[in-house]
Amino acid sequence: MIREEVRFGEAEYVDQILHGDNVQVLSSLPSEVIDLSVFSPPYDGIRDYNSDWALDVIGLGRELYRTTKDGGIAAMVIGDATKDFAKSLTSFRWALDWCDHCGWRMFETCIYQRAGNPGAWWNRRFRVDHEYIMIFLKGGRPRHFDKSKLMIPSKHAGKIYSGTDRLTNGGTRQIEPKEVNAMKCRGTVWPYSTSNTEGNRTKLRHPATFPDKLAEDLIGCFSEPGDLIADPFSGSGTTCVMARNAGRRYLGIDVSAEYVSIANERLVNETQLRMVQ
Ligand SMILES: C[S@@+](CC[C@H](N)C(=O)[O-])C[C@H]1O[C@@H](n2cnc3c(N)ncnc32)[C@H](O)[C@@H]1O
């Protein structure tokens, strides 16, 4: 007998933080409903969370792929622990697993540059001040891509640029002199000072958050108002809060009941309660 799959109706997953294991929760969703997901998984046992959790990397990759629309994006913030002078390479393994076995394509790998403190090992290693933002794409091209919100000031704004271009055959070509624009497109290194610039006490109750602005930037670039933004590791709810404030709908999932309630608290206190019709 073929088991009939039970899928949630919209009211059960839209604008909700659901308590449970992300693979199980996602498997209850219909296909192709998520526009963008922005999340940071626990990796290498770097932090103690207050719950038992298991990570099914391939299962999550496949369920997130099934539930994401064509042209949708999954942006994963992840780093690597160091043990005995060697990096774990968890981030790279995860990326290869998702691209080789789950259907995702790698749109871009950006660097989240953060403040890194010198540790006890400071005289034997570099000070680690980055994590990766692995930007996975479903299908041929992103549904939305608006980098106008990610512009940065040009160092040489207003000056006249007249350089040379290097050609594929090794030769050079003179470029028409032109004025350098005031703003330029951000590159692949995204600097954020700390994860909690505002000293948000509710957010601080979670041990491993990412910056509000990081979520806001990804949401602004890869989605439009009304889209459904998911975070399958929602923690303190950063992605969901920023999604709601940007007029998007949200879906958070966390295995810890305590973090679900922190996220709901933030959604009440930190959003403009702007409902999308
Ligand atoms: C790095 S934190 C995410 C923090 C979040 N980005 C923020 O800014 O608050 C990872 C979260 O994943 C949750 N988690 C771990 N395994 C999970 C699973 N299998 N399903 C759902 N949530 C899980 C943990 O409880 C933890 O809150």
Side-chain angles (χ1 to χ4, degrees), residues 20-22 40 49 53-54 206 208-210 232-233 235-236 238 254-255 259:
D21 172 74
N22 44 30
S40 172
Y49 296 99
W53 48 266
H206 190 286
T209 58
F210 53 44
F233 297 94
S236 76
T238 306
D254 204 287
V255 80
Y259 300 153

Side-chain angles (χ1 to χ4, degrees), residues 29 39 53 66 83 89 91 123 160 249 256 262 266:
L29 258 60
F39 57 93
W53 48 266
R66 181 186 66 77
K83 198 170 172 220
L89 303 184
S91 59
N123 54 355
I160 302 299
R249 301 172 306 153
S256 153
I262 291 175
R266 291 190 66 197

Side-chain angles (χ1 to χ4, degrees), residues 187-209:
T188 46
V189 177
W190 296 21
Y192 301 94
S193 53
T194 70
S195 80
N196 192 3
T197 334
E198 302 77 25
N200 181 331
R201 287 184 170 278
T202 316
K203 188 174 177 182
L204 212 55
R205 279 161 39 208
H206 190 286
T209 58

Side-chain angles (χ1 to χ4, degrees), residues 67-112:
T67 50
T68 297
K69 291 179 187 168
D70 186 48
I73 293 282
M76 177 195 296
V77 178
I78 189 168
D80 295 305
T82 311
K83 198 170 172 220
D84 298 335
F85 294 94
K87 304 303 280 191
S88 65
L89 303 184
T90 301
S91 59
F92 297 95
R93 265 184 257 280
W94 195 309
L96 290 170
D97 277 347
W98 276 27
C99 293
D100 290 349
H101 305 296
C102 305
W104 293 100
R105 300 169 64 221
M106 184 61 79
F107 176 73
E108 191 54 86
T109 47
C110 292
I111 299 291
Y112 154 29

